[in-house]
Amino acid sequence: MNRPSITWKLYIAAFYLFLFAPLLVVAIFAFNASPFPSPPWRGFTLEWFTGSGAVFGKPGVLVDPIWLESIGNSFKVAIPVALLAVLLGTVNAWVLERAEFRGKTFVAMMMLWPLVIPGVVLGISILAFFSRVTNGLEDWLQTDLDFLRPGLPLVVLGQLSFILTIATLIIAARLRKFDRALEEAAFDLGASRARVLRTVTLPFLSPALIGAGLVALLMSFENFNTTLMLVGSEAPLPIAMYGQMREGASPAINAVSLLLMLGVGGIASVFALTSKAER
């Protein structure tokens, strides 16, 4: 076995330094006792996490109603997106892997289009489409349809339009490995289709279902471009962070970023464990 050369070691070190140095700086200055999120270091403090605002004039992110509301809005979007992505992704995977019909390859390719369309374009397209549809329905029904206007319901639909594709691919990859002889054996023993699905197929798919849900949750939390085009007055966390940056940066942004990194890292770790169990 060849040992890596010093050049290779330096390259690996530089690569990981490039990846993690900015994140490390953000994390460190979340604890800086200064009203500015940059050097110099003025001492350690938890004020930007749990402070009442008496020291720097701004409360910590864990007690600030603005940040707490934005985190809650992110969960209001991410949980429905994850649940719908898993449910509809399972149906899509089943159609792509089990059904046979003319044009199946084209349908499968068309499903990938939302992944290559820029998020801004996708958001604008969804906004324009639903605005026109909503105007027509409101004129016809003579009632307000606010849930089809910019806001969290429309953000859910916008994010689902591309996250659903990723969930479908994850579940379809697992379903492709399934040995259908197991289902045939269960049918031969007298099990109904529903029971075979519940006791044979879904348990086999469960690692992929969990993984797809976690990926959907992760992508929903960090999405910015599509969300920015569709959001109303209730801003999810990335939009709230963008708004705070425009007003003036503070170590509160660092604190929120650190919490987001820890949350994302935790979800990614769980996904890695489920993927390992799948193999």
Side-chain angles (χ1 to χ4, degrees), residues 111-122:
M111 185 185 65
L112 300 176
W113 290 355
L115 295 181
V116 298
I117 296 174
V120 173
V121 175
L122 193 63

Side-chain angles (χ1 to χ4, degrees), residues 182-206:
L182 297 175
E183 290 181 335
E184 297 297 334
F187 285 131
D188 292 341
L189 293 174
S192 64
R193 184 172 297 276
R195 186 172 183 182
V196 170
L197 181 65
R198 187 177 69 254
T199 61
V200 179
T201 312
L202 287 181
F204 178 83
L205 290 177
S206 58

Side-chain angles (χ1 to χ4, degrees), residues 44-215:
F44 179 86
T45 182
L46 293 175
E47 194 70 21
W48 296 110
F49 291 91
T50 59
S52 62
V55 178
F56 298 113
K58 293 184 178 180
V61 297
L62 296 178
V63 296
D64 189 337
I66 295 177
W67 289 116
L68 294 178
E69 181 182 3
S70 66
I71 293 172
N73 290 335
S74 288
F75 275 109
K76 290 178 184 178
V77 172
I79 292 176
V81 167
L83 293 176
L84 288 172
V86 171
L87 177 62
L88 299 178
T90 302
V91 175
N92 291 350
W94 203 275
V95 171
L96 293 176
E97 295 299 323
R98 294 292 181 90
E100 294 295 336
F101 54 91
R102 183 176 299 177
K104 177 180 174 180
T105 302
F106 176 74
V107 170
M109 291 179 58
M110 192 167 58
M111 185 185 65
L112 300 176
W113 290 355
L115 295 181
V116 298
I117 296 174
V120 173
V121 175
L122 193 63
I124 293 174
S125 301
I126 293 172
L127 178 61
F129 173 77
F130 275 98
S131 294
R132 183 174 292 272
V133 169
T134 303
N135 290 337
L137 288 175
E138 287 182 344
D139 292 340
W140 180 45
L141 299 174
Q142 294 299 307
T143 185
D144 292 332
L145 300 175
D146 291 337
F147 67 95
L148 293 178
R149 298 292 184 183
L152 296 187
L154 205 58
V155 172
V156 170
L157 292 176
Q159 291 187 1
L160 187 64
S161 64
F162 65 93
I163 293 177
L164 175 58
T165 298
I166 298 173
T168 299
L169 295 176
I170 293 173
I171 298 170
R174 178 67 171 174
L175 185 60
R176 195 173 301 123
K177 300 177 183 178
F178 182 68
D179 185 1
R180 299 188 66 175
L182 297 175
E183 290 181 335
E184 297 297 334
F187 285 131
D188 292 341
L189 293 174
S192 64
R193 184 172 297 276
R195 186 172 183 182
V196 170
L197 181 65
R198 187 177 69 254
T199 61
V200 179
T201 312
L202 287 181
F204 178 83
L205 290 177
S206 58
L209 298 178
I210 295 172
L214 292 174
V215 169

